[in-house]
Amino acid sequence: MSTTSTSLALQSLLLDTVNRTGLAKPWKRITGLGGSARALAVAAIAHRLRTRPVLFVVAADNMLDEAVDDVRLLLRGLEGLADAVVERAVLPVPSLQVDPYRGLEPHFQTTSARAAALHALESGQVRVLVASMPALLPRLASPASVRSLATVLKPGQDIAPDDLVAMLGEGGYERQDPVDEHGEFCLRGGILDVFAAGDELPVRLEFVGDTIESIRRFDASTQRSVESLDQFAIVPVRDFTRQAARDNDTGETGSILDYLTGAHVVASEPVDLQAQLEQVWATLSASFEERVPEDDRDRYAEPSELLLSWADLAPIFDAGTTIEELPIDEAPVAGSHHVAYQPPQEFKGRIPGWVAEIREALGRNDAVMFVAGTKGRAERAVELLRDYDVRATWAGSGSEQHGAASVMVLDGHLSRGFRLPDAGLLIHASADVFEEERAAGRRGQQRSASAAFLSDLRDLKVGDLIVHVDHGIGQFVGLKQITVGDDVKEFLELRYHGEDKLFVPVERLDLIQKYSGGAKPPLDRLGGTTWDRAKTKVKKAMRDMAEELLKLYAARRAVPGHAFNADTHWQEEFEGAFPYELTVDQATAIGDIKRDMESSMPMDRLLCGDVGYGKTEVAMRAAFKAVM
């Protein structure tokens, strides 16, 4: 089956499902749907409205990633969109996840995702925004403020480089030379380098005077151009809360409501949304009472100045659509529609049980779909089902046409499957069938830097020994608030030898780590020479070891090794079956290891990484290559 025909078959199947379940019609309330089936309702609403954006609101941030994946997959299938198009069409809006009264800054990835979503909504470049309830609450700068910090650049366009530099600075970018991290920029003569938040590679703009001559992506490590671009959008990497807007004098303040003109709001489980809002309010109010001195409160915005209330948001929920799996009121409500829904069965690796359910569904003429995580897993699922005499076709096989008595297999990410009896549709997700998928989690996603930071702060107990990169071994005393200028900041208080103390801002946790040695060492003296002598001793030992390694590797180069063959199609299929997307570091490591293996020089490589960061996946690829 060709990709086009499969896409049309999937599109036809989902359109038929939407019509048969009644989701193609406008409803005030949809009941019965749970799990990822709610995403089908959201995709149906977005498909019906077309030119109007849809805001899909879920209760908490831990629901956000799965909801985004589900909506992307089902909207892609419903409209036959390309992956790149649907990724831009469906965007997440995470919450800030920090307490403003503790002096903590939200993580860069969070603020950049929020800024990109607000800009896309304000400029009409998004179909569906998926937001957690806490993400809607902060009061923001006006849409005009965000609009003033974003622009689309094209070759031949006249704009002063200094004006772009000012815009980047106001939008949260940092000036660094060279540019090698997201959110950085650098201006050197007539060349402006920018590393946007969501891009894999930075962009280089070359100017002749105030005219853009060319726009190219380049590799930060080699500085070589990769591709030319016909346009590049500069979008802020931070969104402006009310406090930030006031501090930076960016103009009038507003809220998410100012960005939703013409948007249709879909609220998932309004009771849960209201409970989440009340929890955020209670937490922030308690923090305000606890951390802000009564005689200093005129310098701080109260929670009511920072957050929207349920009364503020209730009108947009009332004007939109609500989705409830089990409605509280039993009496029918005007504009309400019920959809019969069944949650998926979890097979936990029991393939015969999965096959039996498929055969039962096909026996009653239901359409059956299986959503695999990757193309490799989709191909393997087709082969696996054929071993059980169940006909299956994959949406990229290029060989067969989909028939009513076969299972449609497609690659993509769906959190859970579901059955819609009225539409005669049964969908299984990879996580429903294979137990290891659920244990591994969504796409092997790594902890964000903000999550790792918060975990480290919670793990630090009073009395723990720490190591500061510049001052050596000290002891953690606790957290302390100190007035710096007009602000009250939070610091970690560290005790050193004697009465020496050191105060480290909580945002500079990267300078310290918990001491993990065996014996209890003495505390260093601030300004003393003990720590410097220890570092000097280690550096000398490292130089001696490096000299020995140079001699060893010089001898190794003279010894021939075994050169493995280049990758085969079996290697490609094996690697395609992994459910996780490779990180940049993983891809680099795999490429380096394969080059080593294919060389006749003896291989000696050490792969390092923290727990859960994908070392096993790299090793399995190398092991498979050796076996083949």
Side-chain angles (χ1 to χ4, degrees), residues 117-140:
L118 289 177
H119 174 258
L121 181 61
E122 191 277 332
S123 59
Q125 297 176 354
V126 68
R127 297 281 303 280
V128 181
L129 285 182
V130 184
S132 64
M133 187 62 184
L136 303 183
L137 302 184
R139 296 185 182 273
L140 309 170

Side-chain angles (χ1 to χ4, degrees), residues 422-493:
D422 293 343
L425 174 65
L426 173 65
I427 299 179
H428 285 132
S430 193
D432 304 328
V433 180
F434 301 104
E435 188 173 19
E436 68 272 14
E437 288 258 336
R438 187 152 300 282
R442 176 186 177 267
R443 283 192 258 177
Q445 181 171 287
Q446 317 299 346
R447 289 192 308 167
S448 68
S450 59
F453 159 75
L454 293 172
S455 175
D456 289 343
L457 183 57
R458 285 195 298 267
D459 291 344
L460 205 56
K461 300 186 293 295
V462 173
D464 282 348
L465 294 179
I466 57 89
V467 182
H468 190 285
V469 66
D470 295 321
H471 303 291
I473 299 173
Q475 189 174 36
F476 177 59
V477 177
L479 295 173
K480 186 171 183 178
Q481 290 184 330
I482 300 177
T483 301
V484 181
D486 294 331
D487 296 327
V488 177
K489 300 288 186 179
E490 196 157 23
F491 292 79
L492 284 79
E493 182 178 345

Side-chain angles (χ1 to χ4, degrees), residues 113 183 248 254 287 335 337 352 495 591 626:
N248 290 282
S287 179
H337 176 67
R495 182 174 70 85

Side-chain angles (χ1 to χ4, degrees), residues 494-502 524-527:
L494 309 179
R495 182 174 70 85
Y496 282 81
H497 182 76
E499 299 300 320
D500 293 348
K501 291 183 179 180
L502 180 68
D524 286 312
R525 185 188 299 275
L526 286 181

Side-chain angles (χ1 to χ4, degrees), residues 388-405:
Y388 284 85
D389 296 323
V390 175
R391 186 168 178 264
T393 54
W394 172 51
S397 60
S399 59
E400 299 182 51
Q401 295 295 321
H402 179 71

Side-chain angles (χ1 to χ4, degrees), residues 298-334:
D298 58 333
R299 295 194 303 109
Y300 288 86
E302 296 186 7
S304 59
E305 298 179 75
L306 299 178
L307 300 179
L308 297 179
S309 66
W310 182 257
D312 295 322
L313 294 170
I316 65 171
F317 293 146
D318 293 339
T321 302
T322 60
I323 301 178
E324 302 170 67
E325 185 172 2
L326 298 172
I328 297 177
D329 51 332
E330 297 182 359
V333 178

Side-chain angles (χ1 to χ4, degrees), residues 212-409:
I212 301 175
E213 184 178 38
S214 65
I215 304 176
R216 295 174 294 162
R217 292 201 186 279
F218 69 96
D219 188 328
S221 60
T222 64
Q223 295 294 304
R224 292 180 178 177
S225 296
V226 175
E227 63 174 330
S228 297
L229 303 177
D230 56 3
Q231 66 176 35
F232 171 63
I234 289 182
V235 180
V237 292
R238 61 172 175 169
D239 69 327
F240 291 96
T241 61
R242 181 195 183 280
Q243 187 69 39
R246 186 173 67 178
D247 293 345
N248 290 282
D249 194 26
T250 55
E252 297 181 0
T253 59
S255 69
I256 189 67
L257 303 176
D258 299 310
Y259 294 81
L260 293 177
T261 304
H264 186 86
V265 178
V266 181
S268 176
E269 302 294 347
V271 173
D272 293 343
L273 299 185
Q274 188 167 2
Q276 188 72 23
L277 178 145
E278 292 171 355
Q279 180 180 337
V280 173
W281 266 84
T283 300
L284 198 61
S285 298
S287 179
F288 178 77
E289 295 294 332
E290 175 186 349
R291 296 185 172 274
V292 180
E294 290 191 14
D295 57 353
D296 200 27
R297 292 186 176 178
D298 58 333
R299 295 194 303 109
Y300 288 86
E302 296 186 7
S304 59
E305 298 179 75
L306 299 178
L307 300 179
L308 297 179
S309 66
W310 182 257
D312 295 322
L313 294 170
I316 65 171
F317 293 146
D318 293 339
T321 302
T322 60
I323 301 178
E324 302 170 67
E325 185 172 2
L326 298 172
I328 297 177
D329 51 332
E330 297 182 359
V333 178
S336 180
H337 176 67
H338 182 81
V339 180
Y341 156 85
Q342 292 179 2
Q345 181 180 346
E346 291 190 33
F347 296 98
K348 300 183 178 179
R350 293 181 286 105
I351 303 301
W354 175 44
V355 172
E357 185 172 49
I358 289 176
R359 284 177 174 154
E360 182 181 343
L362 294 175
R364 55 175 184 261
N365 294 322
D366 281 0
V368 181
M369 285 172 49
F370 174 66
V371 182
T374 65
K375 291 181 179 179
R377 173 148 284 183
E379 289 180 321
R380 291 178 62 192
V382 170
E383 295 176 357
L384 180 62
L385 289 172
R386 285 176 181 169
D387 289 341
Y388 284 85
D389 296 323
V390 175
R391 186 168 178 264
T393 54
W394 172 51
S397 60
S399 59
E400 299 182 51
Q401 295 295 321
H402 179 71
S406 64
V407 178
M408 180 182 292
V409 180

